[in-house]
Amino acid sequence: MARHLITSALPYINGIKHLGNMVGSMLPADVYARYMRQRGHDVLYICATDEHGTPAELAAKEAGLPVAEFCAQQHDAQKAVYDGFSLAFDYFGRSSSAQNVEITQTIARELKANGFIEERSIRQVYSNADGRFLPDRYIEGTCPHCGYDKARGDQCENCTRVLDPTDLINPRSAISGSSDLEVRETKHLFLLQSKLAGEVAAWVDEHGKDWPTLASSIARKWLNEGLQDRAITRDLDWGVPVPADTWPDLAAEGKVFYVWFDAPIEYIGATKEWSDLDPANRDWKSWWYDVDPTVRYTEFMAKDNVPFHTVMFPATLLGTRDAWKKVDYVKAFNWLTYYGGKFSTSQKRGVFTDAALELLPADYWRYFLMANAPESDDTSFTWEHFAATVNKDLADTLGNFVNRVLSFSRKRFGDEVPAGKATGEAEARLGEEIARLLAEYEEHMDALQFRKAAAALRALWSAGNSYLEEKAPWLEIKTDQEGAALTLRTAMNLIHLYAVVSEPFIPASARAMRSAFALADDTAPWVGQEEAKALASVPAGTAFTVPPVLFAKITEEDLESYRVRFGGAPEQAGGGAPAGVETEGKPID
């Protein structure tokens, strides 16, 4: 089996992330990592908090804390939320770690030795009101390309164009808001991307041909516009220091590396953090340095992160002339919007991940987000669509199926799986259908097509409901008790199958379904095609329990309270059945 290295874009340290951040990187990476583990692959899923740069300093200043203390607190707070979402990282590190400092400085030295970093004098914005040079993100203004009036000095988050601070119209200090700015001369290190442009283009041509169009088109757009040499140091108090043994003057001035230089290197740094915890059994270099061909590296990120991961980071690694592992597949996502607009903390619009977990269990959010992942276009979150999806897919199609089958069987046959007669034509047809849908599900998961995979999973759940409606055991039992027992035994095997194959999307609910059956050796990680056809993993006589209701429906009263708390525009919502409409499955008397 292959070895799969998986990373998701590092969440910034400056506060809890919203649902768009979750579905744009960490959650799909987790779903994929879980799936690949279940299929028997050796998986290493690495992530970390991105702790350097302007956002960390500004947020710490606002919180009235030293930046190191702020970052430590926020790392723990974010990790708690990700644990709540059941994100199964193999390791969740910190870009401020000693390992990242060491590897970042090593890579910088290699780039200098190979002629790809040089020291240049530049004219940089200085704030008289703040008494300091302003790094790019400390400067805000109007984007000259799209007119967005809150563009930062390094990038416009609206049109994603990379900027220099001097490009901004009506620039101002992000610290004090002062427009009393002037340009002074100072020295910085530059990564000579222009000298690496040909190599990066060749690398993207070779590896990017299989990437999603979103990722490959952004990379090629950057390359077609021409790679510019880029300053990779900043005037900040917090960051990876420029090494004094290589650049003594700049080190004496307190220069640190630009956050977008060291943040991607933290994927490597975090892997070394993981390895250093158990060096006898873990080898970070086997994943990142001079690796064997069986390692496949997949990155997950939202579209604004694509340029740095597909151009700047590969340029950095290529320029070392060393055997660093580079990405094989970039899974990029569009935006998740809130009623078509941006999530906004200040305007109290949108759902942030900690608040989401206060409302409902993680599996509600995991399933909805992945079933509506913004893969081909932006996706608008609305409470109405969320409720309709939860009520229809989770509560009615899956949860009601599990409850009605187990409750009815216990009521009529006791606490063990009934035997019943031998399987017949209906069970054979069902087995063929389940095997077909499972193959479809696997195909979409292997291709990282999550919306299609969720649709195939939903079709698997629906097949059980169709079988139950066809056989109608609540009627069958009146004339053919053995036939009804067969129907229920088959349905219970479907529940077990659902538990196994749904685990990447809804892990907690999958555990509840699987643990309903007292199977001593129930360790199979996946369901094979023949097993899917046979539907016999749970034999007659197996003791079972009825789990609590897996998914509670979202009521109109719930919806109204959510709109009041988080904002919303019900009149703009579109699609989906109204909340509370039962579209599949009826209780069995």
Side-chain angles (χ1 to χ4, degrees), residues 255-270:
K255 307 282 187 183
V256 300
F257 285 107
Y258 174 40
V259 62
W260 265 114
F261 183 74
D262 82 85
I265 296 171
E266 168 58 8
Y267 297 135
I268 307 172

PDB file of all heavy atoms in Angstrom, residues 255-270:
ATOM      1  N   LYS A 255      15.712  41.446  12.116  1.00  0.00           N
ATOM      2  CA  LYS A 255      14.842  41.001  11.027  1.00  0.00           C
ATOM      3  C   LYS A 255      14.416  39.548  11.257  1.00  0.00           C
ATOM      4  O   LYS A 255      15.179  38.731  11.769  1.00  0.00           O
ATOM      5  CB  LYS A 255      15.568  41.084   9.682  1.00  0.00           C
ATOM      6  CG  LYS A 255      16.193  42.433   9.362  1.00  0.00           C
ATOM      7  CD  LYS A 255      15.167  43.443   8.886  1.00  0.00           C
ATOM      8  CE  LYS A 255      15.876  44.720   8.420  1.00  0.00           C
ATOM      9  NZ  LYS A 255      14.950  45.773   8.022  1.00  0.00           N
ATOM     10  N   VAL A 256      13.181  39.269  10.855  1.00  0.00           N
ATOM     11  CA  VAL A 256      12.680  37.892  10.897  1.00  0.00           C
ATOM     12  C   VAL A 256      12.178  37.524   9.503  1.00  0.00           C
ATOM     13  O   VAL A 256      11.943  38.387   8.660  1.00  0.00           O
ATOM     14  CB  VAL A 256      11.541  37.724  11.918  1.00  0.00           C
ATOM     15  CG1 VAL A 256      12.002  38.080  13.321  1.00  0.00           C
ATOM     16  CG2 VAL A 256      10.316  38.550  11.523  1.00  0.00           C
ATOM     17  N   PHE A 257      12.019  36.219   9.271  1.00  0.00           N
ATOM     18  CA  PHE A 257      11.526  35.780   7.966  1.00  0.00           C
ATOM     19  C   PHE A 257      10.034  36.062   7.826  1.00  0.00           C
ATOM     20  O   PHE A 257       9.264  35.997   8.789  1.00  0.00           O
ATOM     21  CB  PHE A 257      11.808  34.286   7.759  1.00  0.00           C
ATOM     22  CG  PHE A 257      13.240  33.995   7.451  1.00  0.00           C
ATOM     23  CD1 PHE A 257      14.066  33.395   8.396  1.00  0.00           C
ATOM     24  CD2 PHE A 257      13.785  34.337   6.221  1.00  0.00           C
ATOM     25  CE1 PHE A 257      15.397  33.143   8.120  1.00  0.00           C
ATOM     26  CE2 PHE A 257      15.116  34.092   5.934  1.00  0.00           C
ATOM     27  CZ  PHE A 257      15.928  33.491   6.887  1.00  0.00           C
ATOM     28  N   TYR A 258       9.665  36.383   6.604  1.00  0.00           N
ATOM     29  CA  TYR A 258       8.270  36.612   6.230  1.00  0.00           C
ATOM     30  C   TYR A 258       7.464  35.362   6.549  1.00  0.00           C
ATOM     31  O   TYR A 258       7.885  34.236   6.282  1.00  0.00           O
ATOM     32  CB  TYR A 258       8.241  36.930   4.736  1.00  0.00           C
ATOM     33  CG  TYR A 258       6.900  37.081   4.076  1.00  0.00           C
ATOM     34  CD1 TYR A 258       5.830  37.724   4.688  1.00  0.00           C
ATOM     35  CD2 TYR A 258       6.715  36.604   2.771  1.00  0.00           C
ATOM     36  CE1 TYR A 258       4.617  37.883   4.040  1.00  0.00           C
ATOM     37  CE2 TYR A 258       5.505  36.763   2.111  1.00  0.00           C
ATOM     38  CZ  TYR A 258       4.462  37.394   2.752  1.00  0.00           C
ATOM     39  OH  TYR A 258       3.273  37.544   2.112  1.00  0.00           O
ATOM     40  N   VAL A 259       6.268  35.548   7.108  1.00  0.00           N
ATOM     41  CA  VAL A 259       5.455  34.416   7.541  1.00  0.00           C
ATOM     42  C   VAL A 259       5.174  33.443   6.399  1.00  0.00           C
ATOM     43  O   VAL A 259       5.131  32.224   6.605  1.00  0.00           O
ATOM     44  CB  VAL A 259       4.136  34.917   8.180  1.00  0.00           C
ATOM     45  CG1 VAL A 259       3.291  35.686   7.179  1.00  0.00           C
ATOM     46  CG2 VAL A 259       3.360  33.766   8.782  1.00  0.00           C
ATOM     47  N   TRP A 260       5.014  33.965   5.174  1.00  0.00           N
ATOM     48  CA  TRP A 260       4.741  33.060   4.063  1.00  0.00           C
ATOM     49  C   TRP A 260       5.984  32.322   3.598  1.00  0.00           C
ATOM     50  O   TRP A 260       5.896  31.434   2.743  1.00  0.00           O
ATOM     51  CB  TRP A 260       4.064  33.788   2.911  1.00  0.00           C
ATOM     52  CG  TRP A 260       2.582  33.649   2.967  1.00  0.00           C
ATOM     53  CD1 TRP A 260       1.668  34.632   3.188  1.00  0.00           C
ATOM     54  CD2 TRP A 260       1.836  32.446   2.833  1.00  0.00           C
ATOM     55  NE1 TRP A 260       0.400  34.107   3.199  1.00  0.00           N
ATOM     56  CE2 TRP A 260       0.473  32.764   2.980  1.00  0.00           C
ATOM     57  CE3 TRP A 260       2.181  31.107   2.611  1.00  0.00           C
ATOM     58  CZ2 TRP A 260      -0.548  31.822   2.896  1.00  0.00           C
ATOM     59  CZ3 TRP A 260       1.166  30.165   2.535  1.00  0.00           C
ATOM     60  CH2 TRP A 260      -0.166  30.524   2.676  1.00  0.00           C
ATOM     61  N   PHE A 261       7.154  32.680   4.124  1.00  0.00           N
ATOM     62  CA  PHE A 261       8.349  31.882   3.859  1.00  0.00           C
ATOM     63  C   PHE A 261       8.419  30.709   4.830  1.00  0.00           C
ATOM     64  O   PHE A 261       8.666  29.565   4.440  1.00  0.00           O
ATOM     65  CB  PHE A 261       9.610  32.746   3.975  1.00  0.00           C
ATOM     66  CG  PHE A 261      10.881  32.009   3.647  1.00  0.00           C
ATOM     67  CD1 PHE A 261      11.199  31.692   2.335  1.00  0.00           C
ATOM     68  CD2 PHE A 261      11.771  31.642   4.647  1.00  0.00           C
ATOM     69  CE1 PHE A 261      12.373  31.005   2.028  1.00  0.00           C
ATOM     70  CE2 PHE A 261      12.949  30.968   4.356  1.00  0.00           C
ATOM     71  CZ  PHE A 261      13.239  30.646   3.045  1.00  0.00           C
ATOM     72  N   ASP A 262       8.178  30.981   6.115  1.00  0.00           N
ATOM     73  CA  ASP A 262       8.357  29.896   7.093  1.00  0.00           C
ATOM     74  C   ASP A 262       7.111  29.049   7.313  1.00  0.00           C
ATOM     75  O   ASP A 262       7.215  27.901   7.749  1.00  0.00           O
ATOM     76  CB  ASP A 262       8.844  30.459   8.440  1.00  0.00           C
ATOM     77  CG  ASP A 262       7.725  31.017   9.322  1.00  0.00           C
ATOM     78  OD1 ASP A 262       7.097  30.239  10.049  1.00  0.00           O
ATOM     79  OD2 ASP A 262       7.510  32.237   9.298  1.00  0.00           O
ATOM     80  N   ALA A 263       5.898  29.575   7.011  1.00  0.00           N
ATOM     81  CA  ALA A 263       4.682  28.806   7.316  1.00  0.00           C
ATOM     82  C   ALA A 263       4.612  27.477   6.555  1.00  0.00           C
ATOM     83  O   ALA A 263       4.348  26.435   7.171  1.00  0.00           O
ATOM     84  CB  ALA A 263       3.444  29.658   7.046  1.00  0.00           C
ATOM     85  N   PRO A 264       4.834  27.438   5.235  1.00  0.00           N
ATOM     86  CA  PRO A 264       4.792  26.130   4.570  1.00  0.00           C
ATOM     87  C   PRO A 264       5.906  25.186   5.045  1.00  0.00           C
ATOM     88  O   PRO A 264       5.713  23.969   5.063  1.00  0.00           O
ATOM     89  CB  PRO A 264       4.967  26.481   3.083  1.00  0.00           C
ATOM     90  CG  PRO A 264       4.583  27.914   2.976  1.00  0.00           C
ATOM     91  CD  PRO A 264       5.009  28.537   4.262  1.00  0.00           C
ATOM     92  N   ILE A 265       7.030  25.752   5.434  1.00  0.00           N
ATOM     93  CA  ILE A 265       8.116  24.913   5.947  1.00  0.00           C
ATOM     94  C   ILE A 265       7.692  24.231   7.247  1.00  0.00           C
ATOM     95  O   ILE A 265       8.208  23.166   7.593  1.00  0.00           O
ATOM     96  CB  ILE A 265       9.400  25.755   6.134  1.00  0.00           C
ATOM     97  CG1 ILE A 265       9.877  26.280   4.775  1.00  0.00           C
ATOM     98  CG2 ILE A 265      10.511  24.958   6.807  1.00  0.00           C
ATOM     99  CD1 ILE A 265      11.016  27.296   4.862  1.00  0.00           C
ATOM    100  N   GLU A 266       6.701  24.823   7.934  1.00  0.00           N
ATOM    101  CA  GLU A 266       6.214  24.207   9.171  1.00  0.00           C
ATOM    102  C   GLU A 266       5.566  22.847   8.929  1.00  0.00           C
ATOM    103  O   GLU A 266       5.500  22.029   9.846  1.00  0.00           O
ATOM    104  CB  GLU A 266       5.246  25.152   9.887  1.00  0.00           C
ATOM    105  CG  GLU A 266       4.433  24.543  11.028  1.00  0.00           C
ATOM    106  CD  GLU A 266       5.259  23.939  12.162  1.00  0.00           C
ATOM    107  OE1 GLU A 266       6.499  24.091  12.181  1.00  0.00           O
ATOM    108  OE2 GLU A 266       4.646  23.296  13.041  1.00  0.00           O
ATOM    109  N   TYR A 267       5.109  22.563   7.721  1.00  0.00           N
ATOM    110  CA  TYR A 267       4.655  21.197   7.453  1.00  0.00           C
ATOM    111  C   TYR A 267       5.789  20.220   7.766  1.00  0.00           C
ATOM    112  O   TYR A 267       5.580  19.160   8.361  1.00  0.00           O
ATOM    113  CB  TYR A 267       4.240  21.039   5.994  1.00  0.00           C
ATOM    114  CG  TYR A 267       3.078  21.887   5.553  1.00  0.00           C
ATOM    115  CD1 TYR A 267       3.129  22.582   4.346  1.00  0.00           C
ATOM    116  CD2 TYR A 267       1.922  21.991   6.323  1.00  0.00           C
ATOM    117  CE1 TYR A 267       2.061  23.357   3.916  1.00  0.00           C
ATOM    118  CE2 TYR A 267       0.858  22.766   5.903  1.00  0.00           C
ATOM    119  CZ  TYR A 267       0.927  23.451   4.695  1.00  0.00           C
ATOM    120  OH  TYR A 267      -0.131  24.219   4.279  1.00  0.00           O
ATOM    121  N   ILE A 268       6.980  20.584   7.332  1.00  0.00           N
ATOM    122  CA  ILE A 268       8.151  19.761   7.621  1.00  0.00           C
ATOM    123  C   ILE A 268       8.491  19.861   9.101  1.00  0.00           C
ATOM    124  O   ILE A 268       8.761  18.856   9.764  1.00  0.00           O
ATOM    125  CB  ILE A 268       9.357  20.211   6.760  1.00  0.00           C
ATOM    126  CG1 ILE A 268       8.986  20.247   5.271  1.00  0.00           C
ATOM    127  CG2 ILE A 268      10.557  19.286   6.996  1.00  0.00           C
ATOM    128  CD1 ILE A 268      10.058  20.865   4.388  1.00  0.00           C
ATOM    129  N   GLY A 269       8.468  21.094   9.627  1.00  0.00           N
ATOM    130  CA  GLY A 269       8.806  21.304  11.029  1.00  0.00           C
ATOM    131  C   GLY A 269       7.883  20.532  11.957  1.00  0.00           C
ATOM    132  O   GLY A 269       8.339  19.918  12.940  1.00  0.00           O
ATOM    133  N   ALA A 270       6.579  20.553  11.667  1.00  0.00           N
ATOM    134  CA  ALA A 270       5.629  19.836  12.512  1.00  0.00           C
ATOM    135  C   ALA A 270       5.857  18.334  12.443  1.00  0.00           C
ATOM    136  O   ALA A 270       5.671  17.622  13.435  1.00  0.00           O
ATOM    137  CB  ALA A 270       4.198  20.177  12.111  1.00  0.00           C
TER     138      ALA A 270
END
